Amino acid sequence: MESVLYSSSFQTPAFSSQSTFHSNKFLCTPTTPVLPLPHIAKSRFEPLSCTMSHSAEADTKPKEIKLWGGRFEESVTDIVEKFTESISFDKQLYKHDIMGSKAHASMLAQQGLISLSDKDSILKGLDEIERSIEAGEFVWRTDREDVHMNIEAALTDMVGEPAKKLHTARSRNDQVSTDFRLWCRDAIDWIVASIRNLQVALVKLALKNEGLIIPGYTHLQRAQPVLLQHLLLAFVEQLDRDAGRLLDCKARLNFSPLGACALAGTGLPIDRFMTSNALGFTAPLRNSIDAVSDRDFVLEFLSANSIIAVHLSRIGEEWVLWASEEFGFITPSDSVSTGSSIMPQKKNPDPMELVRGKSARVIGDLVTLLTLCKGLPLAYNRDLQEDKEPAFDSVKTVIGMLEVSAEFAQNITFNDERIRKALPAGYLDATTLADYLGIPFRTSHDIVGRSVALCVFKNCQLQDLSLEDMRSLSPVFDNDVYEFLGVENAVNKFSSYGSTGLACVADQLGYWVSKLEINKS
């Protein structure tokens, strides 16, 4: 469950032209995440407060020549510019773009491709740009298309000629793939932290309801008695696999595209291993075409998010049902409920209904990206500009779902009396009675089935049948049969590993209390 968050604060080391690069401390500092992380997660998705240039005055000025505009004799039309810009959403990548540019500039200087003085000017300018973005002073310009061109053009305006050297041995193709991998890596850490918070909330809810037995369901029909703790821990187990999938995804995406350039690499003497190490990647990607053209790392990420969303949707469905008058198993507090605009008596578990509903949105983000990628020839295509918004939305939505589910779990009460009154219905102890007989199971299954039919006829429970009634169905029944009947006795008979028996669930609970470092006091 441990993860590494890469900080966005940098310290620039002084490199001589002869020095060998060994450290990545100026770019990424491993830290242990402090939970919860609502501010970190939230801030990545709020619109940046920096302004966008759309003024009438700006419209009357001659258009700025594009950084790629050397072979063109005409400017793009306003409609094309508006349609092709991505700065309205990819500015979320600014920290990661600056991080990559710092690594690239330092490598260029180390390899003698730019001077140390140029490198220092670039790094200082990038620091100032990052400061101005975070202060809300930076002006994002749609005519500069995307986050990369906005930052590079602003850097050129600020430091002049040295900034024009920054794009040496780099294309926007490898640049955006690098930025996006860095962003996904951080986003995985935010989600894993939110998963852990929900796991803690569920385990604490289980600790508060020790010994409470509820009906277990299959086909939405009553099946066997289970401990509530056992059911809540089932959700915890699912969430743990969700976190594992994300961390597996993180390990696979943590390879650097930087230096792959447009698609074929470069003939300049760059050091891709240096930039990879500086950015905390495992290694550079081996194939430059693959590095710039594939988005399988995002597909895998959004697939993992979709599974999380499905798990959360199932929790939402369970709790929405349990909050209904028909079940009445839980009562959400007013702080996590909403009312009706016309029916004054209503108290609705809306947060969990929306968790259930928003799962469709997360799955839709995955389907969007799968459809986007399915027909693309190698290598890079502009279609891939459309990969950001589904990913941003998926992460924002999943974190919101996790956070509100944890909030809901901390603000519900299980109605013990209502649950206990509901337990006798459904012959939940029938399977335990079949185990009691100790004869070939198909034979015992038939005997207990006829016992249930007798109960239906007499309008009673299995434990209400007389021994004489039971022996009329099988001579195997004896006085000790009543030790197996009733939901409490049935639960006490479960003993297999992972089962709902008291001792088994206590072991499971102890495991999670220890793993999640929960203070029970």
PDB file of all heavy atoms in Angstrom, residues 461-483:
ATOM      1  N   GLN A 461     -40.171 -21.705  12.084  1.00  0.00           N
ATOM      2  CA  GLN A 461     -38.759 -21.772  11.738  1.00  0.00           C
ATOM      3  C   GLN A 461     -38.223 -23.182  11.983  1.00  0.00           C
ATOM      4  O   GLN A 461     -38.836 -23.990  12.689  1.00  0.00           O
ATOM      5  CB  GLN A 461     -37.964 -20.761  12.560  1.00  0.00           C
ATOM      6  CG  GLN A 461     -38.403 -19.313  12.348  1.00  0.00           C
ATOM      7  CD  GLN A 461     -38.269 -18.869  10.903  1.00  0.00           C
ATOM      8  OE1 GLN A 461     -37.241 -19.066  10.273  1.00  0.00           O
ATOM      9  NE2 GLN A 461     -39.331 -18.285  10.364  1.00  0.00           N
ATOM     10  N   LEU A 462     -37.054 -23.483  11.432  1.00  0.00           N
ATOM     11  CA  LEU A 462     -36.474 -24.816  11.605  1.00  0.00           C
ATOM     12  C   LEU A 462     -36.272 -25.152  13.074  1.00  0.00           C
ATOM     13  O   LEU A 462     -36.515 -26.291  13.508  1.00  0.00           O
ATOM     14  CB  LEU A 462     -35.134 -24.892  10.847  1.00  0.00           C
ATOM     15  CG  LEU A 462     -35.227 -25.002   9.324  1.00  0.00           C
ATOM     16  CD1 LEU A 462     -33.854 -24.772   8.692  1.00  0.00           C
ATOM     17  CD2 LEU A 462     -35.781 -26.367   8.908  1.00  0.00           C
ATOM     18  N   GLN A 463     -35.850 -24.158  13.857  1.00  0.00           N
ATOM     19  CA  GLN A 463     -35.608 -24.440  15.272  1.00  0.00           C
ATOM     20  C   GLN A 463     -36.898 -24.655  16.055  1.00  0.00           C
ATOM     21  O   GLN A 463     -36.868 -25.144  17.201  1.00  0.00           O
ATOM     22  CB  GLN A 463     -34.803 -23.298  15.893  1.00  0.00           C
ATOM     23  CG  GLN A 463     -35.508 -21.955  15.874  1.00  0.00           C
ATOM     24  CD  GLN A 463     -34.612 -20.820  16.332  1.00  0.00           C
ATOM     25  OE1 GLN A 463     -33.547 -21.051  16.891  1.00  0.00           O
ATOM     26  NE2 GLN A 463     -35.057 -19.585  16.106  1.00  0.00           N
ATOM     27  N   ASP A 464     -38.047 -24.352  15.435  1.00  0.00           N
ATOM     28  CA  ASP A 464     -39.339 -24.568  16.089  1.00  0.00           C
ATOM     29  C   ASP A 464     -39.897 -25.973  15.846  1.00  0.00           C
ATOM     30  O   ASP A 464     -40.872 -26.383  16.504  1.00  0.00           O
ATOM     31  CB  ASP A 464     -40.365 -23.541  15.590  1.00  0.00           C
ATOM     32  CG  ASP A 464     -39.945 -22.118  15.916  1.00  0.00           C
ATOM     33  OD1 ASP A 464     -39.309 -21.920  16.976  1.00  0.00           O
ATOM     34  OD2 ASP A 464     -40.227 -21.200  15.113  1.00  0.00           O
ATOM     35  N   LEU A 465     -39.303 -26.705  14.892  1.00  0.00           N
ATOM     36  CA  LEU A 465     -39.766 -28.071  14.644  1.00  0.00           C
ATOM     37  C   LEU A 465     -39.425 -28.957  15.838  1.00  0.00           C
ATOM     38  O   LEU A 465     -38.361 -28.835  16.443  1.00  0.00           O
ATOM     39  CB  LEU A 465     -39.106 -28.642  13.386  1.00  0.00           C
ATOM     40  CG  LEU A 465     -39.519 -28.029  12.039  1.00  0.00           C
ATOM     41  CD1 LEU A 465     -38.679 -28.644  10.922  1.00  0.00           C
ATOM     42  CD2 LEU A 465     -41.006 -28.232  11.776  1.00  0.00           C
ATOM     43  N   SER A 466     -40.330 -29.845  16.165  1.00  0.00           N
ATOM     44  CA  SER A 466     -40.048 -30.804  17.239  1.00  0.00           C
ATOM     45  C   SER A 466     -39.100 -31.880  16.724  1.00  0.00           C
ATOM     46  O   SER A 466     -38.972 -32.100  15.508  1.00  0.00           O
ATOM     47  CB  SER A 466     -41.346 -31.454  17.716  1.00  0.00           C
ATOM     48  OG  SER A 466     -41.888 -32.278  16.705  1.00  0.00           O
ATOM     49  N   LEU A 467     -38.440 -32.545  17.655  1.00  0.00           N
ATOM     50  CA  LEU A 467     -37.547 -33.634  17.272  1.00  0.00           C
ATOM     51  C   LEU A 467     -38.337 -34.729  16.555  1.00  0.00           C
ATOM     52  O   LEU A 467     -37.842 -35.364  15.616  1.00  0.00           O
ATOM     53  CB  LEU A 467     -36.842 -34.192  18.514  1.00  0.00           C
ATOM     54  CG  LEU A 467     -35.757 -35.245  18.264  1.00  0.00           C
ATOM     55  CD1 LEU A 467     -34.680 -34.723  17.320  1.00  0.00           C
ATOM     56  CD2 LEU A 467     -35.150 -35.692  19.590  1.00  0.00           C
ATOM     57  N   GLU A 468     -39.570 -34.909  16.988  1.00  0.00           N
ATOM     58  CA  GLU A 468     -40.428 -35.913  16.345  1.00  0.00           C
ATOM     59  C   GLU A 468     -40.678 -35.548  14.885  1.00  0.00           C
ATOM     60  O   GLU A 468     -40.641 -36.408  13.994  1.00  0.00           O
ATOM     61  CB  GLU A 468     -41.752 -36.029  17.101  1.00  0.00           C
ATOM     62  CG  GLU A 468     -42.688 -37.087  16.535  1.00  0.00           C
ATOM     63  CD  GLU A 468     -44.007 -37.166  17.300  1.00  0.00           C
ATOM     64  OE1 GLU A 468     -44.186 -36.401  18.278  1.00  0.00           O
ATOM     65  OE2 GLU A 468     -44.846 -37.989  16.924  1.00  0.00           O
ATOM     66  N   ASP A 469     -40.937 -34.243  14.644  1.00  0.00           N
ATOM     67  CA  ASP A 469     -41.130 -33.801  13.265  1.00  0.00           C
ATOM     68  C   ASP A 469     -39.898 -34.095  12.421  1.00  0.00           C
ATOM     69  O   ASP A 469     -39.995 -34.573  11.276  1.00  0.00           O
ATOM     70  CB  ASP A 469     -41.408 -32.293  13.214  1.00  0.00           C
ATOM     71  CG  ASP A 469     -42.790 -31.936  13.727  1.00  0.00           C
ATOM     72  OD1 ASP A 469     -43.689 -32.781  13.648  1.00  0.00           O
ATOM     73  OD2 ASP A 469     -42.954 -30.789  14.210  1.00  0.00           O
ATOM     74  N   MET A 470     -38.733 -33.801  12.981  1.00  0.00           N
ATOM     75  CA  MET A 470     -37.485 -33.993  12.235  1.00  0.00           C
ATOM     76  C   MET A 470     -37.228 -35.470  11.967  1.00  0.00           C
ATOM     77  O   MET A 470     -36.821 -35.858  10.858  1.00  0.00           O
ATOM     78  CB  MET A 470     -36.316 -33.370  13.000  1.00  0.00           C
ATOM     79  CG  MET A 470     -36.388 -31.851  13.104  1.00  0.00           C
ATOM     80  SD  MET A 470     -34.906 -31.203  13.895  1.00  0.00           S
ATOM     81  CE  MET A 470     -35.395 -29.514  14.170  1.00  0.00           C
ATOM     82  N   ARG A 471     -37.465 -36.292  12.974  1.00  0.00           N
ATOM     83  CA  ARG A 471     -37.202 -37.731  12.806  1.00  0.00           C
ATOM     84  C   ARG A 471     -38.178 -38.368  11.827  1.00  0.00           C
ATOM     85  O   ARG A 471     -37.896 -39.438  11.279  1.00  0.00           O
ATOM     86  CB  ARG A 471     -37.254 -38.426  14.162  1.00  0.00           C
ATOM     87  CG  ARG A 471     -35.982 -38.190  14.973  1.00  0.00           C
ATOM     88  CD  ARG A 471     -36.016 -38.864  16.315  1.00  0.00           C
ATOM     89  NE  ARG A 471     -34.701 -38.804  16.963  1.00  0.00           N
ATOM     90  CZ  ARG A 471     -34.482 -39.121  18.227  1.00  0.00           C
ATOM     91  NH1 ARG A 471     -35.511 -39.498  19.016  1.00  0.00           N
ATOM     92  NH2 ARG A 471     -33.279 -39.065  18.726  1.00  0.00           N
ATOM     93  N   SER A 472     -39.293 -37.713  11.611  1.00  0.00           N
ATOM     94  CA  SER A 472     -40.206 -38.224  10.586  1.00  0.00           C
ATOM     95  C   SER A 472     -39.607 -38.067   9.191  1.00  0.00           C
ATOM     96  O   SER A 472     -40.019 -38.740   8.238  1.00  0.00           O
ATOM     97  CB  SER A 472     -41.553 -37.488  10.661  1.00  0.00           C
ATOM     98  OG  SER A 472     -41.410 -36.150  10.210  1.00  0.00           O
ATOM     99  N   LEU A 473     -38.578 -37.198   9.103  1.00  0.00           N
ATOM    100  CA  LEU A 473     -37.902 -36.975   7.826  1.00  0.00           C
ATOM    101  C   LEU A 473     -36.585 -37.738   7.731  1.00  0.00           C
ATOM    102  O   LEU A 473     -36.168 -38.127   6.640  1.00  0.00           O
ATOM    103  CB  LEU A 473     -37.629 -35.481   7.637  1.00  0.00           C
ATOM    104  CG  LEU A 473     -38.878 -34.586   7.618  1.00  0.00           C
ATOM    105  CD1 LEU A 473     -38.487 -33.115   7.680  1.00  0.00           C
ATOM    106  CD2 LEU A 473     -39.691 -34.855   6.361  1.00  0.00           C
ATOM    107  N   SER A 474     -35.933 -37.957   8.890  1.00  0.00           N
ATOM    108  CA  SER A 474     -34.684 -38.722   8.912  1.00  0.00           C
ATOM    109  C   SER A 474     -34.388 -39.173  10.337  1.00  0.00           C
ATOM    110  O   SER A 474     -34.481 -38.356  11.275  1.00  0.00           O
ATOM    111  CB  SER A 474     -33.515 -37.885   8.391  1.00  0.00           C
ATOM    112  OG  SER A 474     -32.281 -38.533   8.600  1.00  0.00           O
ATOM    113  N   PRO A 475     -34.021 -40.435  10.526  1.00  0.00           N
ATOM    114  CA  PRO A 475     -33.689 -40.917  11.873  1.00  0.00           C
ATOM    115  C   PRO A 475     -32.362 -40.378  12.388  1.00  0.00           C
ATOM    116  O   PRO A 475     -32.022 -40.573  13.556  1.00  0.00           O
ATOM    117  CB  PRO A 475     -33.621 -42.436  11.679  1.00  0.00           C
ATOM    118  CG  PRO A 475     -33.258 -42.619  10.240  1.00  0.00           C
ATOM    119  CD  PRO A 475     -33.924 -41.499   9.516  1.00  0.00           C
ATOM    120  N   VAL A 476     -31.598 -39.679  11.531  1.00  0.00           N
ATOM    121  CA  VAL A 476     -30.286 -39.161  11.943  1.00  0.00           C
ATOM    122  C   VAL A 476     -30.433 -38.022  12.946  1.00  0.00           C
ATOM    123  O   VAL A 476     -29.555 -37.804  13.795  1.00  0.00           O
ATOM    124  CB  VAL A 476     -29.491 -38.693  10.707  1.00  0.00           C
ATOM    125  CG1 VAL A 476     -28.151 -38.085  11.110  1.00  0.00           C
ATOM    126  CG2 VAL A 476     -29.285 -39.848   9.740  1.00  0.00           C
ATOM    127  N   PHE A 477     -31.538 -37.299  12.890  1.00  0.00           N
ATOM    128  CA  PHE A 477     -31.727 -36.171  13.804  1.00  0.00           C
ATOM    129  C   PHE A 477     -31.731 -36.641  15.247  1.00  0.00           C
ATOM    130  O   PHE A 477     -32.316 -37.677  15.583  1.00  0.00           O
ATOM    131  CB  PHE A 477     -33.048 -35.458  13.501  1.00  0.00           C
ATOM    132  CG  PHE A 477     -33.025 -34.644  12.233  1.00  0.00           C
ATOM    133  CD1 PHE A 477     -33.816 -34.994  11.149  1.00  0.00           C
ATOM    134  CD2 PHE A 477     -32.207 -33.528  12.124  1.00  0.00           C
ATOM    135  CE1 PHE A 477     -33.810 -34.249   9.984  1.00  0.00           C
ATOM    136  CE2 PHE A 477     -32.192 -32.778  10.956  1.00  0.00           C
ATOM    137  CZ  PHE A 477     -32.986 -33.138   9.885  1.00  0.00           C
ATOM    138  N   ASP A 478     -31.051 -35.841  16.116  1.00  0.00           N
ATOM    139  CA  ASP A 478     -31.012 -36.153  17.543  1.00  0.00           C
ATOM    140  C   ASP A 478     -31.135 -34.851  18.326  1.00  0.00           C
ATOM    141  O   ASP A 478     -31.232 -33.760  17.744  1.00  0.00           O
ATOM    142  CB  ASP A 478     -29.710 -36.885  17.888  1.00  0.00           C
ATOM    143  CG  ASP A 478     -29.869 -37.791  19.112  1.00  0.00           C
ATOM    144  OD1 ASP A 478     -30.842 -37.600  19.868  1.00  0.00           O
ATOM    145  OD2 ASP A 478     -29.008 -38.666  19.298  1.00  0.00           O
ATOM    146  N   ASN A 479     -31.085 -34.967  19.654  1.00  0.00           N
ATOM    147  CA  ASN A 479     -31.305 -33.774  20.496  1.00  0.00           C
ATOM    148  C   ASN A 479     -30.292 -32.659  20.229  1.00  0.00           C
ATOM    149  O   ASN A 479     -30.606 -31.479  20.402  1.00  0.00           O
ATOM    150  CB  ASN A 479     -31.250 -34.171  21.976  1.00  0.00           C
ATOM    151  CG  ASN A 479     -32.499 -34.917  22.401  1.00  0.00           C
ATOM    152  OD1 ASN A 479     -33.609 -34.585  21.989  1.00  0.00           O
ATOM    153  ND2 ASN A 479     -32.329 -35.945  23.236  1.00  0.00           N
ATOM    154  N   ASP A 480     -29.063 -33.038  19.832  1.00  0.00           N
ATOM    155  CA  ASP A 480     -28.030 -32.015  19.622  1.00  0.00           C
ATOM    156  C   ASP A 480     -28.263 -31.182  18.364  1.00  0.00           C
ATOM    157  O   ASP A 480     -27.520 -30.248  18.083  1.00  0.00           O
ATOM    158  CB  ASP A 480     -26.642 -32.647  19.573  1.00  0.00           C
ATOM    159  CG  ASP A 480     -26.485 -33.648  18.436  1.00  0.00           C
ATOM    160  OD1 ASP A 480     -27.515 -34.024  17.827  1.00  0.00           O
ATOM    161  OD2 ASP A 480     -25.336 -34.070  18.174  1.00  0.00           O
ATOM    162  N   VAL A 481     -29.292 -31.508  17.600  1.00  0.00           N
ATOM    163  CA  VAL A 481     -29.554 -30.748  16.383  1.00  0.00           C
ATOM    164  C   VAL A 481     -29.830 -29.285  16.683  1.00  0.00           C
ATOM    165  O   VAL A 481     -29.499 -28.396  15.892  1.00  0.00           O
ATOM    166  CB  VAL A 481     -30.743 -31.371  15.609  1.00  0.00           C
ATOM    167  CG1 VAL A 481     -32.052 -31.189  16.366  1.00  0.00           C
ATOM    168  CG2 VAL A 481     -30.868 -30.713  14.224  1.00  0.00           C
ATOM    169  N   TYR A 482     -30.392 -29.011  17.849  1.00  0.00           N
ATOM    170  CA  TYR A 482     -30.773 -27.636  18.162  1.00  0.00           C
ATOM    171  C   TYR A 482     -29.556 -26.734  18.413  1.00  0.00           C
ATOM    172  O   TYR A 482     -29.679 -25.514  18.423  1.00  0.00           O
ATOM    173  CB  TYR A 482     -31.730 -27.617  19.352  1.00  0.00           C
ATOM    174  CG  TYR A 482     -33.041 -28.285  19.025  1.00  0.00           C
ATOM    175  CD1 TYR A 482     -33.323 -29.582  19.472  1.00  0.00           C
ATOM    176  CD2 TYR A 482     -33.991 -27.656  18.229  1.00  0.00           C
ATOM    177  CE1 TYR A 482     -34.513 -30.215  19.148  1.00  0.00           C
ATOM    178  CE2 TYR A 482     -35.178 -28.279  17.898  1.00  0.00           C
ATOM    179  CZ  TYR A 482     -35.435 -29.557  18.348  1.00  0.00           C
ATOM    180  OH  TYR A 482     -36.606 -30.189  18.003  1.00  0.00           O
ATOM    181  N   GLU A 483     -28.374 -27.373  18.591  1.00  0.00           N
ATOM    182  CA  GLU A 483     -27.145 -26.595  18.723  1.00  0.00           C
ATOM    183  C   GLU A 483     -26.693 -26.023  17.379  1.00  0.00           C
ATOM    184  O   GLU A 483     -25.796 -25.181  17.315  1.00  0.00           O
ATOM    185  CB  GLU A 483     -26.023 -27.464  19.300  1.00  0.00           C
ATOM    186  CG  GLU A 483     -26.300 -27.958  20.708  1.00  0.00           C
ATOM    187  CD  GLU A 483     -25.246 -28.949  21.181  1.00  0.00           C
ATOM    188  OE1 GLU A 483     -24.203 -29.071  20.489  1.00  0.00           O
ATOM    189  OE2 GLU A 483     -25.470 -29.592  22.222  1.00  0.00           O
TER     190      GLU A 483
END
